[in-house]
Amino acid sequence: MSMDNSEIAKAKYEEAVRKLVLRYLLVAFLVFLVGGVMGILIRLSQSSPYLNPSLYYRFLTLHGVSMTGFIILALIGIGWLVIVKMLNIVKPIWRIELVFWLIFVGYGLIAVAILVGKFATGFPAMPPLPVISAGGWPRWAASVFFIGLATILIAAITFFVEWLLAAHQLVGGIGEALGLDAFVPNKSISHLHSPAILALTAMSLVGVFAEPIGIYLLANLFIRNINPAFAVDPMMAKNALWMFGHTLVNILFWGAFSIVYLLVPAYTGREWKAYRLLVGGWLVTIVTTGLTAFLHHLSMDFAIPFQLLLFGQIATYVSVIPWAAVSVYGALTRIWKSGIEWKPAPRFVYLGLFGFMIGGTAAFLDATIGFNRVLHNTLWVPGHFHSYIMMGSALFIFAAIYHFLPDLAGKKLGPSRLPLIHYWLTLVGGLGFLATFYLAGLLNAPRRFAEFPFAQLPQGINFIINTSIPFAAVFGLGQVFFIYYLLRTLLAKERK
Amino acid sequence: MSIQAYIGLIYLFIVIALSVVFLLVWKGSKPKVDFERYHDRFSRIGTIWLVVLIAIGAMFTLATLPLIHYPGVAAPLSEQRQIVKVDAFQFGWVIEPKEIKAGTQVEFVVTSRDVNHDFGVFNANGVLLFQVQAMPKYTNRAVYTFDKPGTYKVICLEYCGLAHHVMMTTFEVVP
């Protein structure tokens, strides 16, 4: 039977989307590699200094930007796949292309600012440092950085709007997509299919409010950079930074967690639908993590009224509850006695859940003002967010790639030993690396230091930093196996 | 015991507990049993877990309030307190006066002349005692009482530019 015109058009469209998503993922991994190399270079220099401060801080900045860029590209790529293939909603190719190019150009501009312009504020950049560099970098470098970052934010906001439109089309409204019908008597929310819809909707809804704050801040800094007489209030800037920055990485985590909601049912055979407690949990998450918990970044800013700082601590505490008591608990109870086959995808989901929980615990402790007193801006802080992102979001993304790879590649999968090697190297290297962050932080090693003043700090930090390097190398090697496996699958001659 | 040691022990305990749970669920993922068989039991456990989390949160909030060096929180501001002004700049510190009395409540009045810095105070063994942000155009106040006389170190804890990692100084605490 021959296909009619509409079927041919549909097949062509889906092939075009598949290729685009692959491009998102491949470029994401290129960016990830850049970030990884930067990470190794700076950690090596902390152990035995060889980079001058400008290079160290520039590589540090590029490392943070690249890793965030990796998550953004990979997540949005997978997001388009979910919209088009799982929800069967058509998105014009030019819009999928537009978001890709905005991120690509934005990242390119930032890379130029750093590598050519010597911009070295760390990422995120705390104003007014970008514009008051004490001779660290020329003014144009800061301007290019602001434009580049704003471009990436515009791309992210565009995707969030696309998702909200898709959700509206799917279930009739954003409130419906958040499962609010669960609180209406006699109304069913069975149409929601999966909590993944909630997670992606929450991400997009908070994103369209919080990320424009980032653009507002960048615009202010851009003007200030050109006209030093234009005052940007540092307290406003600090709050705006965390309101958009903290929120961005957290909502990206929510987006990544939608992968958990999709894959746990797929591999356990147990359904996971939205229900009242889960819907309520997401509303709590939106209000706490999404809108108020950012205040925990300001715990050592005592110019702020104490009640607000305490509120930030409590909002953060409350934000733990939906994750620990509903979503992660829900994943574990569904895995229990499910007869699950531990294929690569569920393995990475499981490891990512563990990474998230240890990172979340570290975050809970850090957000406690009395503890933040000695944890803030030590290596405890990157320990915490590497747990969430490197051993959380990134692993969920790997899981999604393993899961969707047969569809994406249209080819026979490569040898199955490789994903297992990837898994074990990631587990040992990743968890070991995280442990060194936390230990060094407890020994008061400051973060963002090109060279540690070992003589001023407790004994043992040097040893811990040196130990972190083989762990990071093992983790990195694991990712090399992964990328090799992906390329081998994609470039295989045999179609499946 | 330092605050860091308490945090380390608490964190170690929780990480071990999490590892045990994750290993148990991993081992217990097979063989397959009908979900309905223990769905109710897990609902009950879930509710208990929720209550435990709330209790832990309340406990931590109350237990750590005395650690907060924000003026007036852990203890009222003393009339006899010593006021020490701290001015941060790229890349150094101006501390006035440089001699501080042990056993007296000290109020640090901290600000910055340019970008954000962070006034991190370490004892002679390199243990971080407390910190507070140094902001341009704003004043942050923190209180602390030094029990032991000696030399204390200041290290900048907010990345502030290319010489951030050498922005250090010391001050004396006298009997």
Side-chain angles (χ1 to χ4, degrees):
Chain A
M1 186 178 97
S2 64
M3 294 206 297
D4 67 13
N5 280 341
S6 68
E7 276 175 10
I8 296 172
K10 185 169 190 277
K12 265 191 164 162
Y13 169 73
E14 288 193 351
E15 177 65 12
V17 171
R18 189 186 69 83
K19 284 213 169 95
L20 255 176
V21 170
L22 268 175
R23 192 205 305 158
Y24 266 87
L25 292 175
L26 285 170
V27 174
F29 275 98
L30 277 170
V31 170
F32 177 66
L33 275 171
V34 170
V37 168
M38 293 296 116
I40 295 259
L41 289 179
I42 57 178
R43 184 39 70 90
L44 279 170
S45 195
Q46 281 188 322
S47 163
S48 180
Y50 68 94
L51 292 170
N52 67 50
S54 171
L55 273 178
Y56 176 87
Y57 290 117
R58 282 151 70 187
F59 288 175
L60 175 68
T61 311
L62 188 56
H63 169 74
V65 171
S66 300
M67 291 316 191
T68 310
F70 158 68
I71 300 283
I72 290 176
L73 271 168
L75 206 59
I76 293 183
I78 293 169
W80 290 121
L81 199 66
V82 168
I83 293 174
V84 170
K85 285 221 80 176
M86 294 186 83
L87 308 185
N88 286 312
I89 291 175
V90 170
K91 291 285 181 186
I93 293 286
W94 73 265
R95 297 214 302 248
I96 305 178
E97 285 274 15
L98 173 68
V99 171
F100 173 82
W101 288 107
L102 283 173
I103 300 171
F104 188 82
V105 167
Y107 178 76
L109 286 172
I110 294 176
V112 165
I114 293 171
L115 295 172
V116 180
K118 306 196 179 167
F119 189 74
T121 58
F123 186 77
M126 184 178 285
L129 179 62
V131 301
I132 303 180
S133 73
W137 46 87
R139 287 227 299 249
W140 70 261
S143 295
V144 171
F145 176 83
F146 298 146
I147 297 172
L149 186 54
T151 308
I152 293 180
L153 290 181
I154 290 171
I157 293 166
T158 306
F159 179 77
F160 297 150
V161 171
E162 294 284 358
W163 171 267
L164 292 173
L165 291 171
H168 197 278
Q169 197 178 323
L170 185 74
V171 295
I174 292 170
E176 283 83 345
L178 286 175
L180 296 184
D181 282 344
F183 298 107
V184 176
N186 301 323
K187 253 202 149 174
S188 140
I189 54 169
S190 58
H191 58 272
L192 270 184
H193 311 298
S194 166
I197 309 274
L198 261 81
L200 289 163
T201 306
M203 170 187 82
S204 303
L205 187 62
V206 173
V208 296
F209 283 107
E211 301 323 306
I213 294 173
I215 297 178
Y216 172 75
L217 176 63
L218 291 166
N220 269 272
L221 291 172
F222 186 83
I223 299 171
R224 163 64 178 80
N225 198 30
I226 295 174
N227 173 16
F230 179 79
V232 179
D233 182 80
M235 187 61 87
M236 180 285 283
K238 230 180 196 175
N239 277 271
L241 169 72
W242 295 121
M243 220 186 270
F244 105 79
H246 149 100
T247 312
L248 177 66
V249 292
N250 273 280
I251 62 179
L252 289 174
F253 179 79
W254 301 354
F257 203 87
S258 67
I259 295 167
V260 178
Y261 287 134
L262 288 172
L263 296 191
V264 166
Y267 289 91
T268 60
R270 290 172 171 170
E271 70 170 22
W272 202 347
K273 290 198 163 197
Y275 58 102
R276 203 182 306 180
L277 184 64
L278 195 136
V279 174
W282 271 102
L283 292 176
V284 169
T285 298
I286 288 172
V287 169
T288 55
T289 315
L291 300 174
T292 50
F294 77 92
L295 285 166
H296 62 227
H297 290 270
L298 301 164
S299 291
M300 292 294 108
D301 277 283
F302 287 0
I304 293 176
F306 180 68
Q307 294 85 340
L308 262 179
L309 300 184
L310 188 63
F311 175 67
Q313 174 177 322
I314 293 170
T316 309
Y317 276 19
V318 171
S319 77
V320 170
I321 294 171
W323 292 111
V326 183
S327 288
V328 176
Y329 183 72
L332 292 179
T333 51
R334 274 166 184 75
I335 290 170
W336 176 260
K337 297 280 183 268
S338 59
I340 183 174
E341 212 189 305
W342 287 105
K343 295 207 173 122
R347 277 179 188 269
F348 277 95
V349 165
Y350 200 65
L351 186 57
L353 287 171
F354 183 70
F356 171 55
M357 287 302 282
I358 57 178
T361 306
F364 158 77
L365 294 170
D366 198 9
T368 305
I369 302 170
F371 289 162
N372 192 256
R373 166 175 152 182
V374 299
L375 292 179
H376 185 55
N377 282 347
T378 66
L379 285 180
W380 183 271
V381 176
H384 137 65
F385 64 70
H386 280 80
S387 305
Y388 263 39
I389 305 181
M390 178 179 122
M391 295 298 279
S393 301
L395 299 193
F396 298 153
I397 288 171
F398 297 164
I401 292 173
Y402 277 121
H403 180 76
F404 288 119
L405 191 58
D407 277 335
L408 276 174
K411 304 265 177 74
K412 233 166 84 88
L413 292 177
S416 61
R417 248 185 5 259
L418 287 171
L420 210 54
I421 298 173
H422 174 211
Y423 174 75
W424 283 108
L425 291 176
T426 300
L427 191 153
V428 171
L431 293 179
F433 186 60
L434 292 183
T436 64
F437 266 124
Y438 291 122
L439 280 168
L442 288 174
L443 286 179
N444 317 297
R447 66 180 294 214
R448 296 182 168 182
F449 256 53
E451 290 175 37
F452 290 116
F454 289 117
Q456 322 295 332
L457 294 168
Q459 292 262 18
I461 293 179
N462 205 356
F463 174 73
I464 295 171
I465 295 294
N466 290 342
T467 309
S468 75
I469 292 165
F471 280 119
V474 166
F475 177 84
L477 184 64
Q479 310 325 306
V480 168
F481 273 99
F482 181 43
I483 292 170
Y484 171 69
Y485 175 77
L486 290 179
L487 287 174
R488 189 157 155 176
T489 303
L490 290 169
L491 297 172
K493 299 247 180 340
E494 252 181 86
R495 299 209 130 251
K496 69 164 183 174
Chain B
M1 210 160 76
S2 66
I3 302 175
Q4 289 87 328
Y6 278 112
I7 296 169
L9 283 172
I10 295 168
Y11 188 60
L12 184 66
F13 174 74
I14 296 177
V15 166
I16 291 174
L18 283 169
S19 305
V20 166
V21 167
F22 271 77
L23 279 166
L24 277 175
V25 172
W26 171 280
K27 295 234 103 168
S29 63
K30 296 182 165 109
K32 182 175 166 144
V33 167
D34 194 23
F35 199 30
E36 292 310 310
R37 282 255 303 261
Y38 54 90
H39 186 262
D40 286 337
R41 194 191 315 166
F42 274 155
S43 279
R44 276 201 307 278
I45 294 175
T47 312
I48 297 172
W49 174 221
L50 179 67
V51 171
V52 163
L53 282 170
I54 295 173
I56 290 174
M59 197 179 76
F60 265 85
T61 303
L62 290 170
T64 59
L65 275 176
L67 297 175
I68 300 176
H69 53 303
Y70 193 108
V73 171
L77 275 175
S78 153
E79 294 278 314
Q80 282 80 43
R81 69 190 185 278
Q82 187 180 2
I83 311 251
V84 175
K85 285 199 158 133
V86 178
D87 249 14
F89 62 92
Q90 285 166 321
F91 297 97
W93 302 92
V94 177
I95 301 177
E96 187 56 45
K98 274 201 105 117
E99 247 185 37
I100 291 166
K101 290 218 251 324
T104 318
Q105 189 186 67
V106 181
E107 182 184 355
F108 290 94
V109 179
V110 184
T111 190
S112 165
R113 295 178 187 170
D114 38 53
V115 301
N116 287 285
H117 301 272
D118 188 325
F119 182 63
V121 176
F122 294 68
N123 69 16
N125 296 324
V127 176
L128 175 58
L129 301 172
F130 70 93
Q131 61 181 290
V132 74
Q133 289 272 307
M135 276 189 74
K137 296 198 173 53
Y138 284 82
T139 301
N140 283 281
R141 291 161 200 270
V143 290
Y144 190 78
T145 305
F146 294 89
D147 294 323
K148 283 208 210 109
T151 305
Y152 288 78
K153 304 180 250 216
V154 176
I155 297 179
C156 181
L157 289 179
E158 185 65 66
Y159 177 62
C160 55
L162 301 188
H164 163 64
H165 54 283
V166 293
M167 189 174 150
M168 294 183 263
T169 190
T170 58
F171 59 84
E172 291 302 310
V173 171
V174 297

